[in-house]
Amino acid sequence: MFEGGKIQNISLSNNAFIGPIPKSIGNCSDLIRVWFDGNLLIGDISESFGLHPKLNFVNLSMNSFQGELTDKWGKFKELETLIVSQNKITGIIPRELGDSVMLHHIDLSSNMLVGNIPKELGNLKAMLKLYLNNNKLSGPIPKELGSLTQLLDLDLSNNKLNGSIPATLAYCRPLVSLVLSHNDLDHEVPPEILKLTQLTKLDLSHNSLVGGISSEFQNLQSIEFLNLSHNHLSGTIPSVFVGMRSLTFADVSYNYLEGRIPKCNAFPNASMLEGNKGLCGDIVGFKSCTISIKHKHVRSLVIVLTILGALVFLSTDIGLVICYEKRKKIPKTEVFREEQQSLFCITNFDGKALYDEIMIATNNFDVEFCIGEGTHGTVFKAILGSDKIVAVKKLDSQFQKSNDRSFVNEVTTLISIKHRNVVKLYGFCSHARHSFLIYAYLERGSLKAVLDEENEAMRLDWSKRLNIIKGVADALSYMHHDCSPPIVHRDLSSKNILLDADYEAHVSDFGSAKFLKLDSSNWSELAGTYGYIAPEFAYTMRVTEKCDVYSFGVLTLEVIKGQHPHDLIAVLLSPFSEKVDSKDLMDHRTAPPSLQTKKILESVIMVAIECLQTIPERRPTMEHSLTS
């Protein structure tokens, strides 16, 4: 196929080529640049190339190459870029790779590499981008990486690295993005790292880091994204976060933090702070920092009045009126015989009996029965009677004493929604001590949990994923077009999609939902989960159904890719970016789709991209999305 030694560039990207690279490529002694990415190529990567003294650029990503990287790659003295991500490469990273001193871009991500990161990579003084994420690398991060003084991006996430974060990384002064999440790193965050003033992204989440969050974080004046979640950090959140003007996202959830929460725009909602039992502040879901004993009676009165107000609102809501009118003719002895044998009638049930039964079933909301977190509350599993399992969402105490109407929103919204892809509400209880909602229990939990767990994600084949997307679209279309007035969820995310035993999707957590008044401007407070919020809502605060459409676009790509698309959204929408192949957007943990399924997925991806349009008017309606 490749005859003659004068061929310098071979570009075969994003085709459907199958099989190994022809051996005749070894005849191309003048070869400089190679693009074989985005195909179905196979074979042993160690046998795919000969010795090409002028080789400068190699991109073999998104194929099915196997085998190991050998010391041969250290003999390409002109090599500047080596990209072999998303293949099936095994073995170790050869230390001889450090001999290719011209290398400035290495991407070995999403393979099955094992062993240590060789310290010899510190010899690559021209290195700008180093991606070793999504492998099975172990051992410490070599301190020699601090010698990469030109480094801009370093991603070592999703490995099994241990030990401390080397302070020598502070010598990589141009570093813009440092991602070390999902490893076994421990010790404190080195203060030297906090002198990297060019950093815009720092992700240290899902490790075992200890110590406090230092006030030295204020040195990161360029930081936009900061994730310290799921560690063992303690102490308080420093007030310096308030002055970090560029910081737009900060996640410190699931640590051991305590004290007052700074009033910082980087915490758009309580989910960025949850899992820290000692925090307090003026954010819904957290206790107040200033409640004193003398205010207890006043607080009790506020709780009582809030509950009474909620009940008054509920009694006048049209959904409750309809429900009451429908059921008032039913004798109380038949209240448990309604359609599908629901445990509780929304308007006719013995509140005290329900309250006592839930208390017994959850052992007074013991942590042993906790199965997750939701908007304004914690979700518990309860077995009622002999075999009826329900999910009970207990409202946070801080929320119960507030004037927030999200509890009322959730009840009245779910009363008015009757759809197979919306979580079923069995009942509710307003009580001076505990208020809670009782839902159908869905066995597989949240979509996010399924996608995050390797084995569960592998079982989520393309048929199931497409059905999940369709189920969510069905639910939103019903809410937007079949309910009067229309209902906007406002917090659609993979955390709020629950899956039953058959992987059927159910939209949940309606605490932020809003009934649209078609004759008003629908201004509202900020609601939603970071990464899913429509861009216009952040600065206009105007709620429309197109906010849900944007979130649906993000969610659709997440289901197909297996993870949140993050920066890929901007790439997909930019007219100046190179076309992204659909294979780049598909979860490689799932078996490749058939040709017919691939065409369907590509069509769904196109709809998702339309949903992500920056201008709301350009997004389709959910009704149109279903027919696309």
Side-chain angles (χ1 to χ4, degrees):
M1 178 177 179
F2 301 108
E3 300 296 337
K6 298 301 182 182
I7 296 178
Q8 294 184 329
N9 300 313
I10 302 176
S11 179
L12 302 175
S13 299
N14 300 316
N15 288 285
F17 294 124
I18 302 174
I21 296 176
K23 292 183 179 180
S24 57
I25 195 174
N27 301 328
C28 305
S29 58
D30 289 335
L31 196 61
I32 297 176
R33 299 179 186 87
V34 175
W35 290 268
F36 284 156
D37 53 298
N39 285 288
L40 301 173
L41 298 174
I42 60 173
D44 191 328
I45 195 169
S46 64
E47 300 174 357
S48 298
F49 286 87
L51 185 60
H52 305 278
K54 298 180 181 180
L55 196 61
N56 174 268
F57 181 102
V58 177
N59 188 348
L60 307 178
S61 63
M62 294 175 290
N63 283 288
S64 296
F65 289 112
Q66 297 177 325
E68 301 182 4
L69 297 170
T70 67
D71 59 358
K72 172 176 64 178
W73 293 98
K75 298 176 182 179
F76 295 106
K77 301 304 181 183
E78 300 296 322
L79 189 62
E80 295 183 359
T81 297
L82 175 61
I83 304 175
V84 294
S85 59
Q86 298 184 50
N87 280 284
K88 300 177 181 179
I89 310 302
T90 56
I92 63 172
I93 300 174
R95 66 175 185 270
E96 289 81 6
L97 196 59
D99 295 335
S100 295
V101 293
M102 297 296 290
L103 273 168
H104 64 243
H105 184 177
I106 295 179
D107 188 349
L108 309 181
S109 64
S110 299
N111 282 289
M112 293 179 281
L113 297 169
V114 298
N116 294 348
I117 299 174
K119 63 181 181 180
E120 286 78 9
L121 294 186
N123 298 333
L124 306 176
K125 308 298 184 183
M127 185 62 61
L128 299 177
K129 298 181 179 183
L130 178 59
Y131 305 113
L132 305 179
N133 49 298
N134 296 306
N135 281 289
K136 299 179 181 179
L137 300 171
S138 57
I141 299 173
K143 64 180 185 299
E144 286 79 7
L145 294 187
S147 300
L148 308 180
T149 55
Q150 304 301 313
L151 194 63
L152 297 175
D153 292 345
L154 177 62
D155 192 342
L156 308 178
S157 62
N158 287 286
N159 280 291
K160 299 178 181 179
L161 302 173
N162 55 37
S164 59
I165 300 172
T168 54
L169 291 180
Y171 295 121
C172 307
R173 298 194 182 281
L175 203 60
V176 172
S177 177
L178 176 60
V179 182
L180 306 177
S181 60
H182 292 84
N183 280 291
D184 297 318
L185 301 173
D186 51 25
H187 293 77
E188 297 185 3
V189 178
E192 293 85 356
I193 298 297
L194 305 181
K195 297 178 182 178
L196 292 169
T197 57
Q198 302 302 312
L199 270 181
T200 61
K201 180 177 183 179
L202 177 60
D203 191 347
L204 307 179
S205 63
H206 294 270
N207 280 290
S208 299
L209 300 173
V210 298
I213 301 178
S214 168
S215 60
E216 296 300 310
F217 271 88
Q218 67 182 321
N219 296 329
L220 304 178
Q221 287 302 312
S222 299
I223 198 76
E224 298 174 4
F225 179 100
L226 175 64
N227 196 341
L228 303 174
S229 66
H230 295 84
N231 279 289
H232 304 308
L233 302 175
S234 57
T236 61
I237 302 175
S239 59
V240 296
F241 274 40
V242 178
M244 298 171 68
R245 302 302 179 191
S246 63
L247 187 62
T248 56
F249 174 92
D251 192 342
V252 295
S253 60
Y254 296 96
N255 281 286
Y256 300 100
L257 301 172
E258 58 187 6
R260 183 179 294 276
I261 300 168
K263 293 183 178 179
C264 176
N265 293 332
F267 301 126
N269 56 57
S271 66
M272 313 305 181
L273 301 156
E274 63 188 10
N276 293 285
K277 301 301 182 183
L279 290 178
C280 63
D282 299 326
I283 295 180
V284 174
F286 291 87
K287 62 185 179 181
S288 171
C289 299
T290 56
I291 295 177
S292 60
I293 295 176
K294 68 180 181 179
H295 290 148
K296 282 187 176 179
H297 294 299
V298 176
R299 182 178 65 175
S300 299
L301 180 60
V302 170
I303 292 173
V304 171
L305 291 176
T306 300
I307 294 170
L308 289 174
L311 291 175
V312 170
F313 180 88
L314 290 172
S315 66
T316 58
D317 181 84
I318 187 170
L320 286 177
V321 172
I322 294 172
C323 182
Y324 177 73
E325 290 296 325
K326 182 178 179 180
R327 289 175 168 83
K328 68 181 181 179
K329 298 178 182 178
I330 303 176
K332 288 186 177 181
T333 55
E334 298 180 5
V335 74
F336 295 99
R337 299 175 189 170
E338 61 177 342
E339 184 181 356
Q340 296 181 347
Q341 297 298 310
S342 296
L343 283 176
F344 316 108
C345 175
I346 296 299
T347 56
N348 295 322
F349 66 87
D350 185 342
K352 186 179 187 305
L354 169 62
Y355 181 85
D356 292 341
E357 192 170 5
I358 293 295
M359 289 294 100
I360 294 170
T362 61
N363 193 20
N364 293 321
F365 293 117
D366 190 279
V367 68
E368 175 186 353
F369 297 92
C370 178
I371 57 174
E373 301 281 339
T375 303
H376 309 308
T378 307
V379 184
F380 295 83
K381 178 180 178 181
I383 301 177
L384 304 180
S386 59
D387 60 353
K388 186 67 178 181
I389 304 176
V390 297
V392 182
K393 179 179 175 182
K394 183 181 80 70
L395 303 188
D396 293 333
S397 57
Q398 173 70 13
F399 166 72
Q400 286 190 73
K401 80 178 190 63
S402 72
N403 290 320
D404 197 304
R405 293 174 63 184
S406 294
F407 172 65
V408 178
N409 280 359
E410 189 143 6
V411 174
T412 56
T413 301
L414 287 168
I415 287 171
S416 64
I417 295 176
K418 303 296 181 186
H419 194 279
R420 67 190 299 268
N421 295 112
V422 174
V423 66
K424 183 174 179 57
L425 176 69
Y426 286 145
F428 67 91
C429 184
S430 293
H431 191 279
R433 184 181 177 194
H434 297 301
S435 291
F436 47 79
L437 299 152
I438 305 97
Y439 300 105
Y441 175 74
L442 298 170
E443 295 86 336
R444 298 194 183 275
S446 74
L447 172 61
K448 185 179 190 312
V450 171
L451 291 175
D452 285 348
E453 211 285 314
E454 194 78 17
N455 292 328
E456 285 292 328
M458 291 174 66
R459 284 192 282 269
L460 204 62
D461 59 33
W462 295 117
S463 176
K464 292 186 179 76
R465 295 188 190 221
L466 287 170
N467 192 55
I468 288 170
I469 294 169
K470 182 181 182 300
V472 175
D474 281 337
L476 291 178
S477 179
Y478 170 82
M479 290 160 56
H480 292 178
H481 304 289
D482 297 326
C483 291
S484 182
I487 301 169
V488 178
H489 188 281
R490 293 205 299 163
D491 194 14
L492 191 71
S493 71
S494 56
K495 288 175 61 176
N496 292 337
I497 305 300
L498 303 180
L499 304 179
D500 61 20
D502 298 320
Y503 294 94
E504 189 76 28
H506 300 260
V507 180
S508 72
D509 216 342
F510 284 80
S512 300
K514 187 175 182 67
F515 293 88
L516 285 187
K517 298 178 181 178
L518 301 180
D519 58 346
S520 71
S521 57
N522 291 298
W523 299 101
S524 181
E525 75 282 357
L526 183 64
T529 300
Y530 178 84
Y532 299 85
I533 302 173
E536 75 276 5
F537 186 49
Y539 55 83
T540 67
M541 307 301 285
R542 185 172 185 268
V543 181
T544 72
E545 70 279 1
K546 294 301 179 72
C547 296
D548 280 353
V549 174
Y550 181 90
S551 302
F552 173 75
V554 178
L555 180 71
T556 298
L557 292 181
E558 182 176 0
V559 173
I560 294 174
K561 187 172 175 58
Q563 60 185 24
H564 192 286
H566 293 299
D567 297 339
L568 191 58
I569 294 174
V571 175
L572 292 170
L573 296 178
S574 174
F576 304 106
S577 298
E578 295 182 8
K579 183 180 179 182
V580 177
D581 190 88
S582 61
K583 291 193 292 293
D584 298 350
L585 300 173
M586 295 183 189
D587 193 342
H588 292 271
R589 296 173 297 180
T590 301
S594 65
L595 184 59
Q596 181 180 2
T597 302
K598 183 173 181 288
K599 290 181 179 179
I600 296 173
L601 286 167
E602 288 174 345
S603 176
V604 171
I605 289 170
M606 292 304 297
V607 173
I609 293 173
E610 289 300 311
C611 292
L612 296 172
Q613 293 300 310
T614 305
I615 300 174
E617 291 74 19
R618 293 183 180 176
R619 298 173 200 152
T621 63
M622 288 310 306
E623 196 172 41
H624 180 264
S625 296
L626 279 173
T627 59
S628 297

